Every structure is written in C-alpha cells, then in structure tokens.
Amino acid sequence: MMVQASRLREVSFSNTLAMNQRAGKLASQGREVISLGIGEPFTEVPKSIRDAAARAAERGEGRSPPVDGIANLRARVAAKLRDVNGIACEPAQVQITSGSKQAIFNAMMATLNPGDEVIIPAPYWVSYPEIVRLASGSPVVVSCSKKQDYKLLPEQLEAAITPKTRWLVLNSPNNPTGAVYSSEELAALAEVLRRHPQILILSDEIYEFYVYSGDAAASFAAVAPDLAERTLTVNGFSKSYSMIGWRIGYAAGAKDLIDAMSNVQSHMTSGTATIVQAGAIAALETISLDWLKGLGATYNARCDMAISMLADVEGMEVVKPGGAFYLYPDCSKLIGKRTREGTLIGTDTDLADYLLESRGVVTVPGSAFGHGPALRLSLTCEQDKLARGLTLIREAVSELN
Ligand code: PLP
C-alpha cells in the first residue's frame, strides 16, 4: 500500500486543473461543456516560434541542455528585462526553467528552512501556498478585499512581517482578480520592505502584457532598483506567446540566488528542452513589442462584453480589473440560496458545482484562491462560447431562490 509523505498532508491537487478534469469527464459523456475555467490564451503559438523549434528538431538537437539555459536565450532574456522592463540584469543572473511554476519552485526549495514564512496576498494564484508547503515553508496569507481592489496595502504588509518572514510574493497583473499594481503602489510596498532587509521579493509578472491600458505592467525591480538584489523577477512564455504546453519560463535575480536555484534544477529537470528553448529565442527575436502590447487590447473588448452581460446577473458583483484575462465576480449575495431541486448553495464551491452540473459551465470557486465567495471566470475561450457561457450562468443564477 502506498504511504503518502507527510509533506503532502496539507498540499492539495491544483483546483483549477481538477475542475477541468471534471469538465473533461462530462464532455466525454456527451454533455455540452463550456470552459471558463482554464487560464490559457486562445491565440495559437506564432509561426516563427513553431518554425524555429521545428528547425532545431530537424538539426537533431537533443543533447543535454545547460542547466540554467542556452547562453543565447539567457542573454536575450537579460536584454528583454533591461529594454522592456527597466531591470538591470546580466545573463548570469537569469535562469531558464520548465515553466515559471518551476522557477517559483526552485526559488522556494533553494531558500526556505522549516518554519520560514512567505507572505502571500489573497486572492492568490493556487500554486503559491502549495509550493511553499512543499518546500517546508509556512504560507502567511493576507486577505485583500474587493474594497481595496484586491491589492496588498503597505500597512497590511507591515503587520504581516515577523522575524521569520523570508519572502513576499507579488503578482501583478494578478491571477485570479486581474488587479494591476501601479508604480506608486509598488513603491509604497518597497518603502515597507526597505525596513526589513531579511525579506526577499518574488515578483511574478507572467501577465505583464495583458494590461487593458495598453502599457506593460510596472516591474517591482524597476520601481525599486535599490531592492533589485533582493528581488526575483519571475516570468514565462505561457501567456505572452501562448506556449503554455511548451513549459518554459525564467527567473532573474541576484547571482547567488540563481546559483542556489541552479543546484535545485540540476537535480530536478537538468534544464529545459533545447528545442523548446530554440522556440523561446525566436519569440524574443521575432515578436514585436507592439504585438505583445496589443494582447491587452484584445482582452479589453472581451472584458467589457463580459462585464455588461454580468451586469444582468443578480447577486454577482464585478469591477473591471486592470488586466490579465479573468473576471472575479463577488458572489456573497448568492450564498444561502437554493436550487430548484432544493440544494443549498452554501459556498462558492457549491455554486461552481451547480453551474457545472446544471449548465455544463466550468468556473473556479474563489475559495481555491484563498478568498471568496467569488468565481473566477476566464475570458480566454472563443468569443461566442464566452457569451454562451455567460448566458447560461445568468439563466442558472436566475433559478436560485
Ligand atoms: N504564475 C501565475 C500567476 C499563473 O497564473 C501561472 C499559470 O497559470 C503561472 C505562474 C505558471 O505558468 P507557467 O508555469 O506555465 O509558466
């Protein structure tokens, strides 16, 4: 009989992936399923990227990758961080990883001792607390309400810090809320962090180009260059270039941190597939900044359409976020209602279950992100499906009483 390691006791399977697995099961039974559950861009991987990877495969590239990434790619990422994000960085300070998820994993495994605390503002991306737990750390979740646009306030940060605090995790634009921190808001958090030199900052900027204003989001290390030595900037190719299935991301920070992360990576994946790295080099070489900044505009229109449709859904309250590609309607007013069959909607998980079972619409409950009652709706499916999914939600919610 399998005996599960104690480190897994408090770690749960990714909730977003679990919802999608359930949806897949319903679809295989012939049900119509509309997925507003997964955070995957609807655009395909640009051809120049696919061609570069195919050429690398044709050349027979298949040798062991350098642990921290191909030199050319590390140099191009360093140049991108400098030119686009305003972060001074050498290629030796960059690590290429198998998805940005792995960059976060490497960082936590490389730095946390049992009991070390990591401050995570909620709503948060589902994997942060679980990665911290897997690395023997303790997540310290700080709740950020709708009233404060789901953003961490400097006084909340100050109050959450203890002598055991090792990291603060920032994510802007945010999954699941779409909140985007302004430079001023980041600067105010930096002011607090200056008083606590033991704290490292992990800035997850994977949605950087999904900003409705059309500008890239501000980078923490650029706003507070004096804290750049303590900042690990995490990013990847999954969202900007739709390369989620290629599994490639990167981290940039102090050389000694990158070296420690390299130690972890050398025993875990040995490095990212060279063919995939060839595609990533092409992404940085061939895809223009204007094209990337256009991503936000595409979703801006979808976001407006979805918000106007949700305005008719009684009991769901949503504010337009600054970016990413999600909506995060507050569903407090639906809790306590009953379905036509008399089933109680006691939590946002019950609500998500009801939408899935009664209408085949996949959503993710806010509780998965450490903050509810709410639902995360992804705007990434085809526009007609998105509209149909929202219509079905409206219909299902109108039947509750
Ligand atoms: N960070 C955030 C905020 C995310 O939403 C995701 C994926 O959804 C990731 C990191 C992981 O991305 P990947 O590992 O595909 O680079």
Side-chain angles (χ1 to χ4, degrees):
M1 203 180 80
M2 198 270 293
V3 179
Q4 193 169 285
S6 53
R7 85 173 67 82
L8 271 189
R9 247 177 240 143
E10 287 181 42
V11 175
S12 45
F13 186 77
S14 166
N15 229 309
T16 41
L17 298 181
M19 276 307 272
N20 283 290
Q21 286 183 357
R22 278 181 62 192
K25 209 163 150 203
L26 282 185
S28 72
Q29 293 161 0
R31 286 273 307 274
E32 181 200 11
V33 171
I34 295 186
S35 180
L36 308 184
I38 199 138
E40 216 172 304
F42 65 88
T43 40
E44 58 183 24
V45 178
K47 182 151 173 21
S48 56
I49 298 175
R50 286 183 273 142
D51 285 349
R55 281 196 303 272
E58 274 305 317
R59 280 196 303 272
E61 278 191 24
R63 297 195 174 277
S64 283
V67 171
D68 290 320
I70 295 173
N72 184 10
L73 180 55
R74 294 174 84 189
R76 283 187 186 280
V77 168
K80 177 264 177 189
L81 286 166
R82 186 189 60 229
D83 299 342
V84 177
N85 303 97
I87 300 172
C89 165
E90 296 297 324
Q93 292 173 262
V94 173
Q95 180 178 55
I96 306 301
T97 57
S98 301
S100 61
K101 191 179 258 189
Q102 200 201 0
I104 301 166
F105 203 92
N106 288 349
M108 296 302 150
M109 289 295 282
T111 56
L112 293 182
N113 287 315
D116 282 350
E117 294 175 358
V118 177
I119 298 177
I120 303 174
Y124 50 67
W125 175 51
V126 288
S127 291
Y128 297 139
E130 311 303 45
I131 293 174
V132 168
R133 286 190 188 103
L134 282 168
S136 308
S138 303
V140 174
V141 173
V142 179
S143 206
C144 303
S145 68
K146 180 157 144 276
K147 220 171 53 212
Q148 62 199 69
D149 290 335
Y150 304 113
K151 294 183 208 173
L152 180 68
L153 300 174
E155 55 273 25
Q156 287 182 299
L157 172 60
E158 185 73 71
I161 292 172
T162 75
K164 288 189 177 166
T165 308
R166 193 84 176 96
W167 286 93
L168 163 68
V169 176
L170 286 175
N171 172 215
S172 171
N174 175 272
N175 175 6
T177 65
V180 180
Y181 287 72
S182 67
S183 298
E184 294 72 27
E185 287 163 339
L186 293 177
L189 295 174
E191 203 46 51
V192 176
L193 292 160
R194 284 190 186 97
R195 294 195 284 274
H196 301 277
Q198 87 278 14
I199 302 177
L200 300 168
I201 302 101
L202 189 150
S203 181
D204 179 343
E205 304 180 1
I206 195 158
Y207 295 92
E208 65 182 328
F209 293 117
Y210 292 89
V211 177
Y212 297 140
S213 67
D215 284 330
S219 292
F220 184 83
V223 169
D226 58 318
L227 301 184
E229 267 293 297
R230 291 162 52 190
T231 304
L232 186 73
T233 303
V234 171
N235 208 325
F237 294 78
S238 295
K239 312 292 175 184
S240 300
Y241 307 97
S242 304
M243 291 166 70
I244 192 163
W246 294 47
R247 308 311 303 133
I248 180 159
Y250 58 87
K255 173 90 171 52
D256 59 349
L257 175 57
I258 295 295
D259 288 348
M261 290 167 60
S262 176
N263 197 348
V264 176
Q265 179 147 296
S266 73
H267 298 293
M268 203 181 295
T269 57
S270 303
T272 302
T274 45
I275 292 164
V276 170
Q277 293 194 56
I281 291 170
L284 294 172
E285 270 178 1
T286 63
I287 307 297
S288 73
L289 191 56
D290 281 348
W291 185 88
L292 290 165
K293 286 186 175 175
L295 291 169
T298 313
Y299 280 96
N300 193 18
R302 280 162 171 260
C303 184
D304 286 341
M305 190 257 310
I307 285 185
S308 71
M309 290 188 73
L310 283 174
D312 296 343
V313 182
E314 214 169 309
M316 282 195 184
E317 290 171 5
V318 67
V319 282
K320 184 171 180 183
F325 40 58
Y326 305 105
L327 282 179
Y328 198 68
D330 181 304
C331 302
S332 314
K333 293 191 176 146
L334 297 177
I335 305 304
K337 295 201 174 228
R338 287 186 184 271
T339 66
R340 276 192 176 158
E341 291 72 37
T343 310
L344 176 70
I345 303 292
T347 62
D348 52 16
T349 303
D350 295 342
L351 183 61
D353 284 346
Y354 166 62
L355 295 175
L356 183 60
E357 299 299 332
S358 72
R359 296 298 193 285
V361 181
V362 186
T363 59
V364 187
S367 44
F369 309 102
H371 189 282
L375 291 179
R376 189 192 74 174
L377 310 178
S378 172
L379 306 176
T380 54
C381 68
E382 293 90 340
Q383 191 140 346
D384 55 333
K385 278 202 186 145
L386 174 61
R388 170 122 179 94
L390 293 167
T391 304
L392 289 170
I393 290 177
R394 181 168 55 201
E395 209 178 274
V397 169
S398 71
E399 288 176 10
L400 295 174
N401 55 55

